């Protein structure tokens, strides 16, 4: 090619190149990293990329998911029009037809069976504004008590434990920036390196500062690279391990007597309980030697500062609530709370798992962390919403219990927004069968998810690139997510959809909003005076800073560190709890001899609806797998990289084996991001924690059958 032609093509390319850049925020995990989305048009072709943007939480870092999050938002499978199922097939309809369908079906169901015959199922990735509006929609537009959300499967054990212990639930009691000041850190059932990788530098800095790390996990995960002591615990025995640590702390005089006396209740009962504990019994229960339990206890108790972090590994158990309470006992008896480098954190999984439960998506909560059963709380919210207090429904049931109500025929219609319960729920085959019994299922989603495929009507919603709003990250910082990209087709925002449905149901006067900011103004007022007080937070402030709640007035700086002077109970004291060593009921048997635990991988998120549609992420992990110790594999004649069937009485899943010396020999691990026969939640246990109704995802007994054996038979 001649130099003249080269110059010509370069000139034409320059002429035809254009760039659009706007600020946004990652839609995935609870860190909520800031970014800039860049759209370029070069010689008639669109090119996209993401640039990390500095912020006060992740300091300009992005993980692999954030760097490629835009791919699902731009995917050709994005829903762009309402779809109505006719004769078993989806057909495109207008919004008018879609709204008329909802109006007729919801009204007919409620006329025949009562208001509570309609349920609402939300999601932890909705913005604060949309989570708030969904709660109001359920209670004002539908007047139903049945509303809950998928965050029940995420944070409910830790949230209930913090509320009971401290009187207040927030993801972290301290700032992330205090992590390097902790001289001992316990990471229990959390794989930060893969689930929240952009906050790992805080832990790396702590490591450089000489922090002693105790990592509690039946697997050797990427996070275990931090560990000075890895506790490869038997799944479900964390309570016993902590009781063993408390035994050492009490016996060897490491209790902070002054702190316990001045700032806690229940010490004498706890002390009496711990005196009866036998360390050898705790060792036998957990599979951890007594001297290792002693060593862990001494390291944490004698450190001048310390922090404890838990996540789903200990929380998604049928005793998850009591397990977290015991970890909180550990922090309280050593006085490691309310000071720099001293505190507790429940590492939230979903992008807005924190904010999503603060303002009304949970069955028992009203905005601002108010209780739907408290007369004063009900009266206040009713006044904000302009409805009679007696018309507000009472509390409903948890997310999985709603599915049970559907199966029993009590709930006849369901409205799902921002969730995929067919993949994310335990005993998933039962969930799918139950949803098929509904008279009317309406799903709002970006894609035709596994749940949406069962729907009578699917409504297209906007992505994070198009939908402005606020989120609350794992620290309790409220962040503003700008969104400037044009919506495709006839897509509407979640909040617009709720307002339009309310209008056709005759409740439009309560939902006259024209922007996310208008909704946030009402949310601020609704939260005012509550535990989660957002009143002092405005969009104007959030455009320049991320603000911690509680923030009761516009001139308040926000509360970065909780419980410095007192706890949130009326008397200002925290509550210690007696936690029994009751082993989880479900044990391995001759028929089901192996423990199955579940979790995430770096390149995927939740049910995989979004990340499996991001080519750069899907290609990194194209299928589910079963991590198994080679000795265990030999025992059950499992070849490496072979297809295997994992089976319980609830169902089965087929995945590919993967040898690993990093997992206990009595346990296998399977990630939960896939659907169909790879969906591991088809076998997970649906027994619920009696306190918080968290299902026992992290531990079920199963058997393993090589697929080749099945084929031979």
């Amino acid at each position: 090619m001649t130099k003249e032609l080269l110059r010509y093509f370069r000139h034409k390319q320059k002429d035809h190149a254009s760039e659009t850049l706007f600020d946004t925020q990652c839609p995935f995990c609870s860190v909520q990293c800031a970014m800039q989305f860049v759209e370029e048009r070069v010689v008639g072709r669109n090119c996209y990329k993401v640039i990390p943007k500095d912020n006060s939480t992740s300091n300009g870092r992005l993980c692999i998911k954030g760097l490629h999050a835009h791919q699902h938002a731009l995917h050709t499978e994005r829903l762009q029009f309402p779809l109505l199922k006719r004769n078993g097939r989806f057909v495109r309809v207008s919004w008018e037809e879609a709204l008329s369908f909802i109006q007729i079906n919801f009204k007919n169901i409620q006329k025949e069976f009562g208001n509570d015959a309609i349920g609402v199922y939300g999601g932890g990735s909705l913005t604060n504004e949309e989570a708030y509006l969904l709660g109001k929609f359920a209670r004002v537009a539908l007047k139903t008590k049945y509303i809950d959300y998928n965050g029940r499967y995420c944070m409910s054990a830790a949230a209930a434990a913090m509320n009971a212990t401290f009187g207040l639930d927030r993801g972290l009691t301290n700032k992330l920036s205090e992590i390097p000041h902790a001289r001992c850190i316990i990471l229990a059932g959390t794989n930060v390196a893969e689930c929240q990788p952009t906050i790992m530098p805080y832990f790396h800095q702590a490591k450089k500062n000489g922090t002693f790390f105790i990592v509690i996990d039946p697997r050797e995960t990427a996070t275990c690279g931090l560990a000075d002591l890895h506790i490869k615990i038997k799944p479900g025995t964390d309570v016993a391990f902590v009781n063993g640590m408390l035994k050492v702390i009490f016996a060897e005089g490491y209790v902070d007597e002054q702190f316990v006396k001045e700032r806690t209740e229940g010490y004498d009962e706890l002390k009496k309980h711990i005196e009866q504990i036998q360390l050898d019994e705790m060792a036998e229960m957990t599979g951890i030697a007594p001297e290792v339990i002693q060593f862990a206890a001494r390291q944490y108790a004698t450190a001048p500062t310390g922090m404890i972090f838990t996540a789903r590994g200990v929380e998604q158990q049928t005793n998850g609530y009591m397990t977290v309470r015991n970890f909180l006992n550990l922090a309280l008896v050593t006085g490691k709370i309310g000071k720099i480098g001293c505190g507790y954190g429940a590492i939230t999984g979903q992008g807005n798992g924190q904010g999503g439960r603060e303002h009304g998506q949970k069955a028992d909560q009203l905005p601002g962390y108010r209780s739907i059963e408290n007369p004063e709380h009900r009266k206040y919210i009713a006044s904000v919403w302009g409805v009679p207090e007696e018309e507000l429904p009472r509390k409903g049931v948890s997310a999985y219990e709603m599915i049970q109500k559907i199966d029993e025929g009590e709930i006849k219609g369901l409205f799902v927004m921002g969730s995929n319960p067919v993949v994310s729920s335990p005993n998933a085959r039962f969930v799918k069968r139950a949803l098929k019994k509904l008279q009317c299922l309406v799903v709002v989603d970006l894609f035709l998810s596994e749940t949406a495929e069962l729907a009578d009507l699917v409504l297209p919603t906007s992505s994070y690139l198009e939908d402005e709003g606020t989120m609350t990250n794992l620290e309790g910082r409220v962040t503003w997510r700008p969104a400037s990209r044009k919506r495709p087709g006839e897509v509407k925002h979640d909040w617009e959809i709720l307002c339009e449905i309310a209008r056709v149901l005759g409740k439009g006067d309560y939902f006259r909003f024209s922007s996310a900011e208008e909704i946030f103004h009402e949310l601020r007022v609704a939260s005012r005076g509550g535990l989660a007080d957002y009143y002092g937070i405005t969009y104007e402030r959030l455009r320049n800073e991320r603000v911690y709640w509680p923030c009761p007035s516009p001139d308040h700086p926000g509360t970065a560190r909780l419980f410095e002077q007192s706890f949130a109970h009326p008397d200002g004291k925290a509550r210690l709890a007696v936690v029994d060593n009751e082993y989880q009921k479900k044990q391995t048997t001759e028929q089901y001899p192996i423990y199955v635990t579940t979790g995430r991988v770096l390149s995927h998120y939740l049910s995989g609806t979004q990340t499996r549609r991001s080519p750069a992420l899907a290609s990194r992990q194209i299928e589910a797998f079963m991590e198994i110790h080679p000795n265990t594999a030999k025992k059950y004649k499992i070849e490496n990289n072979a297809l295997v069937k994992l089976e319980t009485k609830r169902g089965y899943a087929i995945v590919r084996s993967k040898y690993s010396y990093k997992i206990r020999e009595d346990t296998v691990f399977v990630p939960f991001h896939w659907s169909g026969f790879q969906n591991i939640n088809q076998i997970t246990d649906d027994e619920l924690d009696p306190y918080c109704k968290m299902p026992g995802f992290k531990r079920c007994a199963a058997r393993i059958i090589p697929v080749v054996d099945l084929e031979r038979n």
Side-chain angles (χ1 to χ4, degrees):
M1 186 178 290
T2 65
K3 292 182 179 179
E4 289 77 12
L5 278 173
L6 280 172
R7 282 196 294 269
Y8 170 78
F9 280 117
R10 286 171 182 161
H11 176 72
K12 295 301 288 181
Q13 180 172 329
K14 184 177 180 181
D15 283 350
H16 287 79
S18 61
E19 179 179 276
T20 302
L21 182 150
F22 57 82
D23 293 338
T24 186
Q25 194 166 286
C26 181
F28 293 134
C29 86
S30 58
V31 180
Q32 288 299 288
C33 302
M35 60 176 72
Q36 290 183 316
F37 175 74
V38 183
E39 182 174 357
E40 297 177 295
R41 187 163 183 83
V42 181
V43 194
R45 188 169 70 91
N46 290 334
C47 300
Y48 309 97
K49 64 181 178 182
V50 168
I51 302 171
K53 186 180 178 184
D54 193 27
N55 66 80
S56 51
T57 302
S58 56
N59 298 314
R61 295 181 288 268
L62 282 178
C63 78
I64 192 69
K65 287 192 286 289
L67 285 169
H68 298 289
H70 61 282
Q71 291 184 347
H72 79 262
L74 307 176
H75 200 279
T76 55
E77 291 181 11
R78 273 284 302 273
L79 298 176
Q80 299 192 27
F81 313 97
L83 298 175
L84 182 64
K85 191 172 285 181
R86 288 177 178 158
N87 300 318
R89 298 181 63 184
F90 283 114
V91 297
R92 176 180 171 179
V93 295
S94 67
W95 274 100
E96 289 74 19
E97 289 175 281
L99 292 169
S100 177
F101 176 87
I102 294 173
Q103 178 191 38
I104 293 169
N105 281 272
F106 279 15
K107 283 195 169 185
N108 285 345
I109 288 172
Q110 290 188 318
K111 182 178 180 180
E112 183 175 357
F113 301 103
N115 291 339
D116 294 334
I118 303 290
V120 176
Y121 196 111
S125 295
L126 301 180
T127 65
N128 285 320
E129 292 81 356
E130 287 157 348
Y132 166 80
L133 207 62
L134 188 63
K136 181 179 179 180
F137 171 80
R139 290 158 179 135
V140 174
L142 293 175
K143 294 186 178 181
T144 179
K145 67 179 179 181
Y146 288 132
I147 174 172
D148 211 68
Y149 81 130
N150 62 14
R152 177 72 65 171
Y153 299 156
C154 176
M155 290 290 294
S156 60
M162 290 184 76
N163 278 324
T165 303
F166 302 143
L168 173 67
D169 155 44
R170 196 179 78 180
L172 268 67
T173 63
N174 303 56
K175 297 184 292 185
L176 285 167
S177 59
E178 292 188 19
I179 289 172
H181 297 284
R183 287 297 162 262
C184 183
I185 292 177
I186 297 175
L187 297 169
T190 177
N191 185 9
V192 182
E194 293 193 74
C195 298
Q196 291 85 16
T198 57
I199 65 171
M200 279 297 285
Y202 292 112
F203 294 102
H204 289 147
Q205 185 58 53
K207 191 75 174 175
K208 290 180 182 178
N209 292 350
T211 299
F212 189 90
F213 277 87
I214 301 170
V215 179
I216 305 172
D217 200 304
R219 301 169 61 221
E220 186 179 332
T221 66
T223 303
C224 290
L226 292 167
D228 296 285
L229 178 62
H230 177 202
I231 307 296
K232 197 175 280 190
I233 198 166
K234 187 184 295 184
T237 64
D238 303 87
V239 161
F241 180 78
V242 177
N243 271 339
M245 290 183 69
L246 289 169
K247 177 69 174 182
V248 176
I249 289 169
F250 276 77
E252 299 185 6
Y254 296 129
V255 173
D256 186 332
E257 300 280 357
Q258 183 178 352
F259 183 91
V260 167
K261 181 180 179 181
E262 294 177 356
R263 300 197 57 189
T264 71
E265 291 285 348
Y267 174 70
D268 291 338
E269 293 84 352
L270 177 59
K271 183 179 180 181
K272 183 178 179 180
H273 169 66
I274 296 300
E275 285 173 350
Q276 299 170 359
I277 295 292
Q278 299 300 317
L279 193 58
D280 287 344
E281 291 181 7
M282 302 305 98
E284 185 178 352
M285 279 189 182
T286 61
I288 306 300
E291 55 270 23
V292 175
I293 299 175
Q294 289 173 326
F295 183 58
R298 290 165 185 160
Q299 288 294 324
Y300 177 74
T302 60
T305 54
M307 300 181 78
I308 300 172
F309 295 89
T310 68
R312 308 305 83 74
V314 299
E315 297 162 22
Q316 285 182 330
Q317 309 271 6
T318 55
N319 64 347
Y321 163 81
M322 293 307 293
T323 301
V324 176
R325 292 215 65 177
N326 224 18
F327 276 108
L328 298 181
N329 282 341
L330 202 59
L332 289 169
V333 299
T334 57
K336 290 183 170 66
I337 191 83
K339 298 177 286 190
I340 187 168
C342 292
Y344 167 75
I347 306 292
T348 312
Q350 297 191 76
N352 201 29
Q354 179 68 49
R357 68 181 180 276
E358 292 168 359
H359 302 299
Q361 281 196 98
K362 279 183 70 177
D364 59 347
Q365 286 181 351
L366 291 171
Y369 251 138
R370 290 181 166 88
S371 168
I372 200 164
E373 293 297 307
N374 183 299
E376 291 302 315
H377 294 181
R378 293 172 58 84
K379 183 178 179 180
Y380 178 77
I381 295 301
S383 69
V384 174
W385 288 348
V387 298
E389 182 270 328
E390 60 272 15
E391 289 189 7
L392 287 180
R394 294 288 173 173
K395 70 177 180 180
V397 297
S398 70
Y400 191 77
E401 289 173 310
M402 282 177 58
I403 304 296
Q404 293 173 324
K405 294 287 186 185
I406 293 169
D407 182 64
E408 294 162 4
E410 186 172 337
I411 295 177
K412 303 288 187 180
L414 187 67
F415 181 81
V416 179
M417 177 171 273
S419 191
N420 188 12
V422 165
V423 176
S424 62
S425 300
N427 197 3
R429 289 176 184 270
F430 164 76
V431 172
K432 189 172 184 178
R433 289 196 304 269
L435 294 184
K436 288 181 177 180
K437 294 182 177 181
L438 288 164
Q439 290 187 17
C440 182
L441 174 59
V442 178
V443 174
V444 182
D445 210 322
L446 292 168
F447 300 101
L448 201 62
S449 69
E450 290 78 6
T451 301
E453 287 175 352
L454 304 178
D456 299 288
L457 176 68
V458 183
L459 302 177
T461 189
S462 53
S463 76
Y464 77 103
L465 293 176
E466 305 136 15
D467 186 24
E468 178 188 28
T470 64
M471 312 284 275
T472 305
N473 78 354
L474 78 169
E475 294 179 287
R477 286 195 205 229
V478 184
T479 71
W480 170 63
R481 184 182 74 193
S484 305
R485 197 166 196 273
K486 184 181 177 181
R487 289 170 284 174
E490 296 178 5
V491 165
K492 294 181 183 291
H493 300 310
D494 287 326
W495 63 265
E496 289 179 316
I497 293 170
L498 293 172
C499 290
E500 294 201 11
I501 297 175
R503 175 179 57 80
V504 298
L505 293 177
K507 300 293 183 178
D509 287 346
Y510 301 99
F511 295 84
R512 293 187 180 278
F513 300 105
S514 60
S515 69
E517 187 171 4
E518 280 189 18
I519 302 169
F520 191 75
H521 285 321
E522 184 174 292
L523 181 158
R524 290 173 57 228
V525 175
S527 73
R528 189 176 191 178
L531 290 171
D533 193 335
Y534 281 37
Y535 183 70
I537 306 173
T538 64
Y539 266 43
E540 184 178 358
R541 287 186 71 176
L542 293 176
R543 289 185 179 106
N544 298 300
E545 61 177 326
R546 295 180 165 203
V547 184
Y548 293 94
W549 70 260
C551 183
S553 63
D555 59 351
H556 192 281
T559 310
R561 188 185 306 120
L562 299 174
F563 315 133
E564 290 182 294
Q565 303 299 323
S566 66
F567 294 96
H569 287 297
D571 63 1
K573 293 185 177 184
R575 305 295 193 257
L576 294 163
V578 171
V579 182
D580 292 327
N581 290 312
E582 182 181 341
Y583 202 61
Q584 288 198 11
K585 296 176 183 177
K586 300 297 175 67
Q587 302 291 320
T588 55
T589 63
E590 187 176 340
Q591 184 180 12
Y592 299 113
I594 201 82
Y595 289 119
V596 178
T597 190
T598 67
R600 301 185 183 201
V601 295
L602 175 63
S603 56
H604 284 289
Y605 178 73
L606 299 186
S607 68
T609 304
Q610 297 170 20
T611 52
R612 284 188 276 117
R613 289 177 171 86
S614 295
L617 299 176
S619 63
R620 288 172 176 266
Q621 189 67 61
I622 62 173
E623 62 182 1
F625 60 88
M626 177 188 71
E627 190 173 282
I628 184 171
H629 195 284
N631 293 345
T632 310
K634 183 179 180 181
K635 180 178 179 180
Y636 296 106
K637 299 178 181 180
I638 304 296
E639 298 291 332
N640 193 26
N641 260 343
L643 290 177
V644 295
K645 181 181 182 181
L646 279 163
E647 188 175 56
T648 67
K649 64 181 181 180
R650 292 169 293 280
Y652 69 89
I654 297 176
V655 295
R656 194 172 299 280
S657 65
K658 179 181 178 182
Y659 283 5
S660 173
Y661 287 98
K662 298 180 178 181
I663 193 166
R664 289 176 57 94
E665 291 187 27
D666 60 359
T667 304
V668 297
F669 167 83
V670 182
F672 53 64
H673 310 292
W674 283 269
S675 63
F677 61 81
Q678 296 186 86
N679 182 5
I680 195 60
N681 279 330
Q682 292 177 127
I683 77 167
T684 48
D685 198 344
D686 60 358
E687 183 182 352
L688 305 179
D689 184 303
Y691 297 95
C692 63
K693 307 303 181 182
M694 170 74 82
F697 289 103
K698 285 296 185 285
R699 184 173 176 270
C700 69
R703 62 184 173 194
I704 312 173
I705 307 169
V707 169
V708 65
D709 288 355
L710 295 172
E711 292 172 346
R712 287 171 183 163
N713 293 332

